[in-house]
Amino acid sequence: MIPLDFFANGVFDRLAMLVMVQTVTLVNVGWIAATARELPPEGHPAGLPPARRRAVRLTVAAVVLLPVIAMIHPERTPHLTYTGRSTDCYDRPAFGDLKPAERDAVFLCLARSTDDGVPPMFPDSMPDQGILAYGRALCHAKDRERQEILKRSGWNVDPEDLVYVCPEIVGAAHPELLWSTEEREAADTAYLAEENAKCRDPWPRTKGIVQATAKYFLFADGDFGYLVHDPGDRAAEKQAEEALDRIHDDGALFGVAESAVLVGHVEDVTDLCLTVKAMRTAPPRRTAGWEQINEMPIVSRSGRLTVPEMGEGEVGAGAPMPNLAIAGKGHYRLRVHVRLGETGEEHLVVVFPGASKKRLTLKP
């Protein structure tokens, strides 16, 4: 176990000496083993000429010695690549986008980062060699040893950090951390396509003027569900906040605020299947197979009504959502159907023009 102050107190000479002593011992063992393998059996001539035997000894010595020497950093003057004030330490690049020579620099950036006003993990006075050696010690430590090292340092390190100094170890357990940006985008696209394919249109015979079916990914804490709103409304953000306040105040499944309706979920889920349809007139009331059906008013001031799509975050619809305000600016009715099915929680949202401001419970 390597405490943090081991690298901060200028004891690299002792570390190098210890490693050299161990190295000499290992080389001697390797040399003896190689020599023993070269001795011919009793009564048989030697199988290798002297030059070949010397080559074997050198190979054994190199195999044992080089990996150990690679860990020794004899620099006496601290070598500082980045400090907590470096301007290029803000963006974390994908591991697969980096050249091998750039990976250590990213780890040093993370170790000396002062993002969000948090003190850096290491002081600026600690040399790069010390920080990198500390990171690699964590890579090779067992779980219990790692916890002890982290307890002494107060550094909560993640595999996402350590991958830059020991990709062969972290990548074995988390191969996705080795991806490039292009590989990650391709994996995300494939994942969304797979998840969206699990959802089906619950009214396949009733076609909307526009419609879509997709997996909707919720906030991890499950605090609320999804918005049907007018994103072009000048007060769009305020309307969304009012809808959230109302769903909390009323303890209901819906929060209604003119151009925004916040729809909650009945189960403790992190995603649900969502189908949206826009129709020119109110469809027949079909209650069979649904556990809850509610209808409420919504207005479009910009001529748009839609559901947020997943952007760079992890919340939103997994596929493009259409503009449900098919009649342009004006008043609409929003009918929401909810049930629990084989694929989990399912929602069907139907939008059609309508001036009524009533809120109806069609199936409690």
Side-chain angles (χ1 to χ4, degrees):
M1 295 180 289
I2 306 176
L4 175 62
D5 56 3
F6 182 84
F7 298 105
N9 295 332
V11 292
F12 280 100
D13 289 341
R14 284 182 288 170
L15 176 62
M17 180 62 69
L18 175 62
V19 174
M20 287 300 296
V21 170
Q22 294 175 340
T23 300
V24 171
T25 302
L26 289 171
V27 171
N28 285 336
V29 172
W31 192 295
I32 293 171
T35 302
R37 285 195 299 269
E38 296 166 18
L39 291 176
E42 186 175 355
H44 295 274
L48 291 175
R52 183 67 183 277
R53 289 199 296 271
R54 285 195 296 273
V56 170
R57 293 193 184 103
L58 290 175
T59 301
V60 172
V63 169
V64 175
L65 182 62
L66 289 179
V68 181
I69 291 179
M71 298 177 62
I72 301 175
H73 300 274
E75 299 175 80
R76 298 177 182 272
T77 303
H79 176 60
L80 303 175
T81 304
Y82 292 96
T83 69
R85 294 176 295 278
S86 297
T87 58
D88 51 356
C89 282
Y90 296 107
D91 297 327
R92 180 197 292 258
F95 177 87
D97 293 338
L98 294 171
K99 298 177 181 178
E102 298 171 329
R103 297 167 187 169
D104 284 354
V106 173
F107 182 77
L108 293 170
C109 258
L110 296 172
R112 293 196 170 112
S113 172
T114 56
D115 286 352
D116 301 323
V118 177
M121 303 173 188
F122 301 94
D124 286 348
S125 59
M126 178 175 286
D128 290 353
Q129 317 89 286
I131 295 177
L132 293 172
Y134 187 81
R136 292 187 175 104
L138 285 174
C139 290
H140 291 85
K142 302 297 183 182
D143 289 342
R144 190 170 182 179
E145 294 174 330
R146 182 178 301 180
Q147 292 174 4
E148 182 63 24
I149 295 173
L150 294 175
K151 182 179 179 181
R152 295 185 185 185
S153 70
W155 180 19
N156 185 22
V157 69
D158 296 317
E160 290 84 352
D161 301 323
L162 291 177
V163 69
Y164 297 102
V165 289
C166 52
E168 70 287 350
I169 295 176
V170 176
H174 304 277
E176 72 281 0
L177 295 180
L178 304 180
W179 290 344
S180 65
T181 300
E182 183 177 351
E183 290 171 325
R184 180 168 298 280
E185 290 176 351
D188 290 344
T189 299
Y191 171 75
L192 288 179
E194 181 181 354
E195 291 299 305
N196 289 332
K198 296 177 182 178
C199 299
R200 296 287 186 269
D201 180 356
W203 281 9
R205 295 182 180 179
T206 305
K207 300 297 184 183
I209 303 302
V210 295
Q211 65 180 53
T213 298
K215 180 68 70 69
Y216 192 95
F217 298 89
L218 304 164
F219 284 99
D221 58 9
D223 193 21
F224 59 87
Y226 57 92
L227 273 173
V228 180
H229 70 141
D230 180 356
D233 191 335
R234 293 181 179 179
E237 185 174 346
K238 181 180 179 181
Q239 293 286 292
E241 291 176 356
E242 289 183 8
L244 178 59
D245 291 340
R246 290 175 185 177
I247 201 172
H248 281 167
D249 293 343
D250 299 341
L253 187 64
F254 307 95
V256 182
E258 295 185 354
S259 66
V261 173
L262 181 62
V263 184
H265 45 90
V266 297
E267 291 290 300
D268 184 14
V269 294
T270 57
D271 56 57
L272 51 84
C273 284
L274 174 63
T275 296
V276 297
K277 295 175 182 276
M279 300 183 178
R280 298 193 188 281
T281 59
R285 296 184 180 182
R286 299 178 182 175
T287 60
W290 297 100
E291 298 177 14
Q292 295 187 41
I293 305 176
N294 291 266
E295 190 174 303
M296 62 219 69
I298 189 169
V299 63
S300 174
R301 297 190 175 97
S302 73
R304 293 186 63 200
L305 286 173
T306 190
V307 175
E309 299 172 16
M310 180 181 289
E312 294 187 2
E314 299 179 352
V315 177
M321 292 284 105
N323 178 14
L324 302 171
I326 56 175
K329 300 178 182 179
H331 295 272
Y332 292 83
R333 300 289 290 172
L334 186 71
R335 189 180 295 175
V336 182
H337 309 67
V338 180
R339 71 183 179 190
L340 298 178
E342 296 180 357
T343 59
E345 188 164 332
E346 299 178 27
H347 287 220
L348 168 64
V349 174
V350 179
V351 177
F352 51 90
S356 174
K357 295 183 179 180
K358 292 182 179 180
R359 295 180 60 174
L360 305 175
T361 300
L362 305 181
K363 187 171 184 179

